[in-house]
Amino acid sequence: MIKLSKFYTKKIKNKIIIIIAILLLTFSFPKKKIFKYEFYKGDFWLYEDLFSPFNFIISKNSQDIYLEITKLKNNQDFYFDKNKNFVINIKKKLKKFPFIRKNKLFYKKANKIINKVYKYGYINYHFFLKKNTSIFYRKEKNKKDWTFISSNKIYTLHKVNNLIKKEIPIKYDRKFLRKTLKKIIVPNLYYNKNYTEEILFKKIKSTIKIKRLIKKGEKIIQKNEIIDRDKFHVLSLFKKKYESIVWNKKKEYGTTIGYFLIISTIFFILFLYIFYFQNKIFKNIKKINFLIINILLISFITILTLKFHSKILYSIPFCILPISVRAFFNLNLSLIFHLTTILLLSIITPHRFEFIFLQIVTGFLVLLTKKNLYKRENLFLSVIKIFIVYIITFSSLSLIREGTFNITKDTLSLFFFSGILTLFVHPLIFLFEKLFNFTSDISLLELSNINTPVLRLLSKKAPGTLQHVLTVANIAEEAAFSIGANSLLARIGAIYHDLGKIENSHFFIENQQNTIINPHEKLSPKESANIILKHVTIGIKFAKKYHLPDTITDFIRTHHGNSILHFFYEKQKKKYPNMKINEKQFQYSGPKPFSKETAIVMICDSVEAASKSIKNPSNHDLKNVVEDIINKQKKENQFSNADITMKEIEKIKKVLQKKLINIYHTRIVYPNS
């Protein structure tokens, strides 16, 4: 009854955790009206004709405003002040030259030139006289009346010189006359910079920001019409207006229900997969909590980004979570987890297709191309791949939509930043290890160091055992690799499985090489069995003392399963033939191995120990040892709790036979020279 109640309590806790996560996301997701159509510049409008359900104004976009301001600057008007008495004063100066005043022809020609030049005005600013330039002047500074002059009628220094040459040809040429005219004919239009800039500023300020009004019922775009730049701008403004105006409390409740249903569906699919294909994970509350926290973490980061700065969405390292999941679980779960998380977030992200496609392609490629992402070299390569795949995928989508590469420096920097943030996966994995007491491949690599305090103690107290566990580790690693199990976990588990032999080490055969008398000869079979059996519980104590992860401690618990110490059991039966022997006094307390890795270490431990008892073993002997040990463990039903198949056991058998033959290969004896 107690076990049954614990089972149901776990099931209820799992469900409560999932429901809480669904409710948190439901009420955290933005509740504004979401435009139901996806559209991209350069694409076709694949939906029905779109009509506006309300009046709305299409303002000019920043590019339009920039072009208009540029046009105003290029075609701006220039304003000058004109001296109305200027011509009279020039002619007075002319009369002061006697040779001109006395020569009627010279005087007539000079007056003609002066009248032509000053009829419209003379300026000395060539850059004003561009095409389409408008010139205005006023005769008095105090007045606001401005007179327009066409720019082609205005005289410049160059035009004045040409006029003088034309009107006073060579036969009339007098250097003094030409020089005099050039000296007294000076510009009479003075550039009014302040007023010119004031008028331009007013025009820019009054630039019409309203392009046109879309009336209720007016067609915005029709089916199969190409979404060009203008249409894209109109649709973007319509979407913004639609999401802000077509909204009320009733619709908010509807959106909340919609969020709840779709989030529940996605969670249901994820945990249905875990229930059927990863049942051990489903039964483990810590592991379920880990997965849910990962989903909530990335979801809340995405929600906050979209709320405050949606343009930097692609800087979020969406690949970091499937990599962290991969550090603790298998590849299949990490892929499914990534897929469901991206589907969940696509509900609230803009450009859903682009978002889903980018993240799934990038995440899957990173997870599928490198198995050992815990290695720094592989992690850096993954970051480079994330950046490159983002660029290629985004550019490809851009080519499909617009027929051109439309990737900006800002977009490149977001992709680069996302890749760099992925490097923080190691600290994140470390944090998860501490929070959930998990063991990642990174921690396993640290435990593989033979100089850890507990292994140094094993080397000092039980050197023979250390050699034994290292041999078992090498064999177990190969066996695990052959059937696709976690070879690193099997290796590390094998290294630590016999820690209990640190105490009473001389009672174990591998540590009795230098002893003349076997200490078991002084003990009864029951006492000897008790010492041997206790090495499991002692090993667990050492594991706790040195803070070894639970996954490693599991190898200590299970490496003998619930097998019987047959040697001492048979010895007790012979010693007391008429006494009923309690079999449990000679039996390990278990549990039996419950994973492929723990089953492999149990097999390798027994095989390696048994092979040491054969003197000068032949290949045939070694093959028989492997066969006998595995058959015995099958008979004792030691594999009943492990998810290992008979086919996999056969593969392991062949690997062990081959490895033992390599270890005990025949050495050629060379004669002494």
Side-chain angles (χ1 to χ4, degrees), residues 74 407 483:
N74 290 336
I407 186 164
I483 63 167

Side-chain angles (χ1 to χ4, degrees), residues 325-427:
V325 172
R326 180 71 183 93
F328 303 110
F329 304 109
N330 54 59
L331 175 65
N332 291 342
L333 181 60
S334 60
L335 290 172
I336 295 294
F337 176 82
H338 183 58
L339 177 62
T340 51
T341 306
I342 296 304
L343 284 175
L344 184 70
L345 295 176
S346 69
I347 301 169
I348 57 171
T349 52
H351 307 305
R352 294 182 189 90
F353 172 75
E354 180 184 276
F355 175 77
I356 293 170
F357 195 82
L358 269 174
Q359 304 308 331
I360 288 178
V361 168
T362 309
F364 274 43
L365 191 74
V366 170
L367 288 170
L368 291 170
T369 52
K370 278 291 178 186
K371 184 179 178 183
N372 299 326
L373 287 171
Y374 53 82
K375 291 183 179 178
R376 281 178 294 181
E377 180 188 354
N378 291 345
L379 187 60
F380 273 104
L381 287 173
S382 295
V383 168
I384 294 167
K385 275 192 288 187
I386 287 169
F387 181 60
I388 293 169
V389 174
Y390 266 142
I391 293 171
I392 293 170
T393 310
F394 188 85
S395 301
S396 302
L397 290 171
S398 178
L399 276 172
I400 293 167
R401 287 197 310 266
E402 302 175 33
T404 182
F405 287 107
N406 188 19
I407 186 164
T408 62
K409 287 182 180 179
D410 289 339
T411 308
L412 285 172
S413 63
L414 291 178
F415 292 155
F416 177 76
F417 193 61
S418 176
I420 293 298
L421 285 177
T422 308
L423 291 173
F424 286 91
V425 71
H426 278 185

